[in-house]
Amino acid sequence: MWVVPLILLSLVAGVVGGVLGARSTGTNRLADAGLPTVSITGSVDRAPDSVAGIASAVLPSVVSIEVTASDGTSTGSGFVLRQDGYILTNNHVVASADEVGATIVVLFADGTQVPASIVGRTADYDLAVVKVEVEGLTPLLLGDSDAVVVGDPVVAIGAPLGLVGTVTTGIVSALNRPVSAGDATDTAFINAIQTDAAINPGNSGGPLVNASGEVIGINSAIAQAPGTDSTTAGSIGLGFAIPSNQVRRTADQLIETGTATYPIIGVLLDDRYTGEGVQVASEDSDGTPPVTPDGPADRAGIRRGDVILAIDGRPVTDPEELIVTIRSRTPGDVVVLRVRTGEDERDVRVELSESSGG
């Protein structure tokens, strides 16, 4: 008995609503909306040190890099190092291009696409230089990363997720972060600049610039929340960049020789050790002694089983921290290690030697 009245009521309500709606719409329509407009005279300028000003100056020198290999196509970022076509990026962006038949294409800000070839690359620092046959490019300046302090404003530019010319901003949120990337056989150790500027997959190889538009770092890695894999990772406000002073040294070597070297002290570290500092291994590993005979550590009197507590007065708490700190130096530099043998502690001076990179 209630079904028919309810249906009739809903139909009537629908008709009334439709009529009221039609009347309302018809009554309120205007022939000309006449919305207020802003009068703009002349060009719109931005201060050179504003984010817009920095982006305008830097964007023409930032590129997107596309690598096509047997495992598919991947993209990353890079920027112009020299006006005659040398471009810097991350090694992991172009590593797959080493196989036969692989191709690299560089996409410039104006839409121009140019094939590129690898000049040199190193997995140890996760850096690579590629070359395009183009003249008259505008290179970016490499700034002094040692002058960077926590809180400095920064701008990150690149092609995250293939979105070319993306600009994000933030600050330097930490310095000297020990970061390792890659796998067990191809690991890069970075004494990184940490930033909260949004960094996503595809930003790799792009510049992190300061308020003067100078490159202070190369965006290379992002932190991942627990349970997140590399295919779904995104920015969580923890991005890491290779400092520009390291980039300068490595890029010089890659352009001049095609390979890069890195400093070593000549010891194997025991990653199972859980005490204070880091421990030199006590046993040989696959025939390799814990302390390289006549190497820097050996000449300084460091022995198997010794514990390294600090480098240049800065305490070390895990093997990666010691490795990245040493990698941030130059072969021939002298570092002071605080070493403990048994209960005795001492400071030793170690002159870093050189090892060939990959």
Side-chain angles (χ1 to χ4, degrees):
M1 292 177 61
W2 293 102
V3 173
V4 173
L6 286 175
I7 293 175
L8 290 175
L9 179 60
S10 61
L11 287 174
V12 171
V15 171
V16 172
V19 170
L20 291 176
R23 288 180 178 175
S24 175
T25 302
T27 302
N28 292 325
R29 286 178 178 164
L30 299 175
D32 182 0
L35 298 179
T37 60
V38 177
S39 177
I40 300 176
T41 59
S43 60
V44 179
D45 294 325
R46 297 290 185 267
D49 58 350
S50 68
V51 174
I54 295 168
S56 176
V58 173
L59 273 169
S61 301
V62 179
V63 303
S64 175
I65 298 175
E66 183 178 286
V67 177
T68 302
S70 60
D71 59 351
T73 299
S74 59
T75 61
S77 304
F79 67 91
V80 177
L81 271 180
R82 290 170 47 101
Q83 63 84 28
D84 53 352
Y86 288 87
I87 292 170
L88 185 78
T89 186
N90 281 136
N91 173 68
H92 73 259
V93 171
V94 298
S96 62
D98 253 2
E99 70 177 41
V100 176
T103 61
I104 305 174
V105 173
V106 171
L107 175 64
F108 288 91
D110 62 1
T112 304
Q113 297 186 44
V114 184
S117 59
I118 295 176
V119 175
R121 65 186 187 91
T122 170
D124 301 298
Y125 287 119
D126 194 21
L127 291 171
V129 175
V130 301
K131 176 75 163 57
V132 295
E133 297 306 318
V134 179
E135 295 283 344
L137 300 177
T138 302
L140 295 183
L141 296 178
L142 292 173
D144 181 6
S145 55
D146 289 342
V148 174
V149 299
V150 173
D152 279 348
V154 290
V155 178
I157 302 177
L161 308 178
L163 301 173
V164 178
T166 296
V167 178
T168 57
T169 66
I171 62 169
V172 172
S173 50
L175 297 171
N176 300 312
R177 285 293 195 215
V179 174
S180 61
D183 53 40
T185 60
D186 207 19
T187 305
F189 295 95
I190 306 169
N191 197 33
I193 296 172
Q194 180 182 307
T195 179
D196 67 349
I199 305 294
N200 287 285
N203 269 119
S204 292
L208 185 71
V209 302
N210 61 17
S212 299
E214 300 170 340
V215 178
I216 59 163
I218 309 304
N219 300 315
S220 301
I222 57 176
Q224 297 180 13
T228 304
D229 61 37
S230 60
T231 60
T232 60
S235 174
I236 57 173
L238 294 171
F240 304 98
I242 304 170
S244 57
N245 288 352
Q246 179 61 65
V247 170
R248 184 186 299 277
R249 289 192 295 268
T250 304
D252 282 345
Q253 291 182 323
L254 294 177
I255 292 172
E256 293 169 3
T257 69
T259 59
T261 62
Y262 57 88
I264 58 172
I265 61 173
V267 297
L268 298 178
L269 300 176
D270 187 351
D271 57 10
R272 299 167 299 177
Y273 174 75
T274 58
E276 181 184 15
V278 298
Q279 186 175 48
V280 178
S282 300
E283 302 175 353
D284 292 3
S285 175
D286 296 328
T288 302
V291 181
T292 303
D294 199 34
D298 187 32
R299 292 192 294 269
I302 297 175
R303 299 293 175 256
R304 62 177 65 204
D306 282 355
V307 175
I308 299 173
L309 302 171
I311 177 170
D312 289 336
R314 194 173 85 190
V316 292
T317 57
D318 62 64
E320 286 185 3
E321 188 174 1
L322 179 62
I323 293 170
V324 299
T325 303
I326 291 171
R327 292 279 181 93
S328 68
R329 305 296 203 274
T330 301
D333 285 353
V334 174
V335 298
V336 176
L337 301 180
R338 184 72 176 174
V339 179
R340 184 174 67 208
T341 303
E343 299 298 324
D344 299 326
E345 293 185 12
R346 66 192 187 282
D347 288 330
V348 298
R349 292 169 56 84
V350 180
E351 181 178 341
L352 305 177
S353 64
E354 189 174 48
S355 178
S356 297

